Amino acid sequence: MATAPSPPLARLLDQTADAVAAVRSGRSLTEVLARCPVELKPGTQALSFHVLRWWGGAQAVRALMAPKAPPANVDALLCSAIALLWPGSEPPYAEHTLVDQAVGAARQRTPAAANFVNAVLRRFVRERDALVAAVQPQPIAAFNHPLWWIERIKQDWPQHWQALLGAANKHPPMVLRVNARRGTAAAYVQRLAAQGRGAQAIGEQAVLLDKPLPVTELPGFAEGEVSVQDLSAQRAGPLLLGAGADRLSPPGRPKGEYLRAQPEGVPVTARARVLDACAAPGGKTAQLLELADVDLLALDSDPLRLTRVQETLNRLQLKAHLQVADAREPARWWDGRPFDAILLDAPCTASGIVRRHPDVRWLRRPDDVVALSRIQAELLDALWPLLAPGGRLLYATCSVFRLEGQQQIDAFLQRHAADKPWLDPASPGHLPGLPDNAPRPGFASETSGDGFFYALIHKP
Ligand SMILES: C[S@@+](CC[C@H](N)C(=O)[O-])C[C@H]1O[C@@H](n2cnc3c(N)ncnc32)[C@H](O)[C@@H]1O
């Protein structure tokens, strides 16, 4: 079969510059890419991801070389090209090709700017090391995150802030979750090996691929045998259900640690009533249903996102009750029967998954952290009374900010002290996305799970 010719690089650069400019004006990259012409989408996505990871440095260098900023559409193109030429960033194209094509794209956009773009880019290539060194004292250039974000990470992680910011700029690994009803990670690794693909089993259900690949090429994906889900996200199901909590525990860890990883109390039994309060797009809903025959209600306030939960369940041949609702208003949706277990995978800044969504750091504003932490507290307060005595609530966020993690839970435990809620010692707490959080000692830090926070709270 003949393969389609690749689109010209100048067109991809043009799309990338527009995509990055849209992110800077407050639109998410996912939304922007959804409107990208289909033949340009994969290339634009790859280049935009790269550019957003090096955007802080690129802007600082452009400001150094050309203190008077060119018109916004030229600036977006110029800074995108600088980011793609950044040293040590594994440039996706040879530098002369990039410069020529960026100048071609500039000529199409604003003919008068082509000479300027040409001069700036050629000087950057010539004096690259000196120019890059000159902007390193600026934190935004050195760490490629907004200053407020750097300050917050520094305050929350005084020992590890640099490693955390560095890890956020790395490429994430692709991790699969094998459907526990249909197979094991070890067996799936063998199937991949038969196709010549390298992968490693992590525990019973997780598979770490040596190289990412499109889901359409994963054996059994369409048939529901496997899903894509990060290692940290895969901890939700075993933690909440309390059974098989060892499935994802790394082998080779000391026995005591292994046992402590088991949540306390009675495991959630078949037909238990479980609420997944913020369910879409359904990764954790599906995992819960793969692990146990529970009676699950999946809520989400976003009707469009909830349709994705149904699509996922259809593919995996699983069943749940789905309802569009604001989980903070149980009077509108709750039938009055208490839940045995509640998963609250709350809306958050997504500061733990920046390596998968490099636009997030540039989209968020400092006020968002406070606003989202308020919503998380409202959700916790609204859902706690719905939990049966002896029940358990798992609070999760894909954030590394303490305000959305440990501080949120400390405040919750104080507010509800009269009910004597207790934090399970098996609660992982913050999983900061560092080498410690890699699947096994000795694994490269790039294989670590996303930044997450989990607290498992019991109701006496
Ligand atoms: C972090 S995502 C959940 C991810 C999901 N648990 C998974 O594993 O695929 C948070 C979800 O909460 C939903 N949400 C936000 N505020 C909500 C609310 N007040 N009530 C219910 N859902 C809400 C969002 O629409 C979003 O889909």
Side-chain angles (χ1 to χ4, degrees):
M1 196 173 68
T3 50
S6 314
L9 178 55
R11 278 198 77 196
L12 292 178
L13 288 169
D14 188 54
Q15 289 285 326
T16 299
D18 283 349
V20 174
V23 167
R24 298 301 286 136
S25 70
R27 288 169 61 202
S28 88
L29 188 61
T30 311
E31 179 196 329
V32 175
L33 289 172
R35 287 157 199 261
C36 189
V38 68
E39 72 282 9
L40 300 178
K41 195 173 160 182
T44 304
Q45 173 166 328
L47 292 186
S48 303
F49 270 46
H50 191 117
V51 168
L52 290 164
R53 289 190 175 115
W54 303 98
W55 186 248
Q59 276 187 309
V61 158
R62 197 279 296 143
L64 185 68
M65 288 194 289
K68 185 168 174 296
N73 68 335
V74 175
D75 199 29
L77 178 68
L78 185 56
C79 290
S80 295
I82 293 172
L84 290 163
L85 291 164
W86 204 261
S89 68
E90 296 169 40
Y93 294 92
E95 63 185 34
H96 64 274
T97 309
L98 255 167
V99 173
D100 288 351
Q101 296 288 309
V103 172
R107 196 167 290 119
Q108 291 293 321
R109 295 187 150 222
T110 313
N115 286 346
F116 165 75
V117 168
N118 187 34
V120 173
L121 291 181
R122 288 192 193 280
R123 181 178 158 211
F124 180 63
V125 169
R126 264 194 328 271
E127 300 173 26
R128 191 163 27 196
D129 290 349
L131 287 165
V132 168
V135 297
Q136 287 311 295
Q138 299 176 42
I140 190 172
F143 296 107
N144 285 291
H145 283 73
L147 197 54
W148 71 267
W149 186 298
I150 298 170
E151 291 302 329
R152 186 172 272 278
I153 293 280
K154 209 188 255 187
Q155 184 191 320
D156 282 358
W157 299 95
Q159 308 289 321
H160 302 292
W161 65 277
Q162 286 163 309
L164 264 168
L165 292 168
N169 266 346
K170 295 265 164 43
H171 288 257
M174 184 166 174
V175 184
L176 309 177
R177 184 192 74 243
V178 177
N179 184 342
R181 292 178 184 267
R182 313 276 290 276
T184 62
Y188 198 76
V189 166
Q190 284 183 1
R191 274 172 83 183
L192 289 170
Q195 294 187 339
R197 299 189 193 280
Q200 302 186 59
I202 311 288
E204 284 191 36
Q205 251 55 63
V207 172
L208 179 69
L209 298 181
D210 288 357
K211 276 198 209 125
L213 71 154
V215 290
T216 47
E217 292 178 28
L218 290 171
F221 180 82
E223 294 76 30
E225 292 176 42
V226 73
S227 302
V228 178
Q229 191 177 43
D230 177 74
L231 276 176
S232 294
Q234 290 193 42
R235 296 183 72 161
L239 268 170
L240 183 67
L241 298 175
D246 55 317
R247 282 174 188 269
L248 297 166
S249 293
R253 291 246 168 120
K255 189 86 173 155
E257 195 178 344
Y258 179 91
L259 289 175
R260 266 197 293 115
Q262 304 271 6
E264 297 197 0
V266 183
V268 170
T269 51
R271 304 320 299 162
R273 273 175 60 77
V274 176
L275 171 67
D276 186 354
C278 295
K284 299 186 189 71
T285 316
Q287 187 197 27
L288 289 168
L289 292 167
E290 287 168 6
L291 291 173
D293 287 319
V294 291
D295 177 10
L296 192 146
L297 173 62
L299 291 188
D300 205 280
S301 55
D302 183 332
L304 202 64
R305 282 172 64 86
L306 201 64
T307 60
R308 291 182 57 198
V309 180
Q310 190 59 61
E311 285 163 16
T312 299
L313 296 184
N314 291 347
R315 182 177 64 81
L316 295 165
Q317 298 156 38
L318 298 166
K319 283 200 168 50
H321 310 279
L322 268 52
Q323 197 168 338
V324 178
D326 185 330
R328 292 172 298 181
E329 298 176 348
R332 291 176 176 270
W333 55 264
W334 186 43
D335 64 6
R337 289 186 299 146
F339 294 99
D340 302 300
I342 297 177
L343 171 61
L344 172 53
D345 188 17
C348 70
T349 55
S351 63
I353 54 171
V354 174
R355 59 185 186 161
R356 293 190 192 280
H357 299 279
D359 54 334
V360 160
R361 73 194 94 172
W362 305 115
L363 282 172
R364 294 273 176 264
R365 301 285 170 261
D367 291 352
D368 294 345
V369 191
V370 176
L372 283 158
S373 79
R374 227 174 263 141
I375 294 172
Q376 292 150 9
E378 288 167 8
L379 282 161
L380 278 164
D381 290 349
L383 296 173
W384 179 246
L386 279 50
L387 192 64
R392 55 183 70 188
L393 182 149
L394 181 64
Y395 171 80
T397 55
C398 55
S399 177
V400 290
F401 295 152
R402 291 191 189 271
L403 198 59
E404 301 183 281
Q406 196 58 55
Q407 289 168 7
Q408 180 70 262
I409 287 306
D410 290 346
F412 169 82
L413 293 172
Q414 275 193 5
R415 279 199 306 280
H416 294 271
D419 296 341
K420 301 192 169 50
W422 57 278
L423 186 62
D424 197 299
S427 291
H430 281 281
L431 299 168
L434 290 168
D436 297 2
N437 186 14
R440 266 177 227 165
F443 264 51
S445 59
E446 282 82 353
T447 65
S448 64
D450 286 344
F452 247 84
F453 176 83
Y454 283 111
L456 181 65
I457 302 165
H458 294 265
K459 188 183 244 188

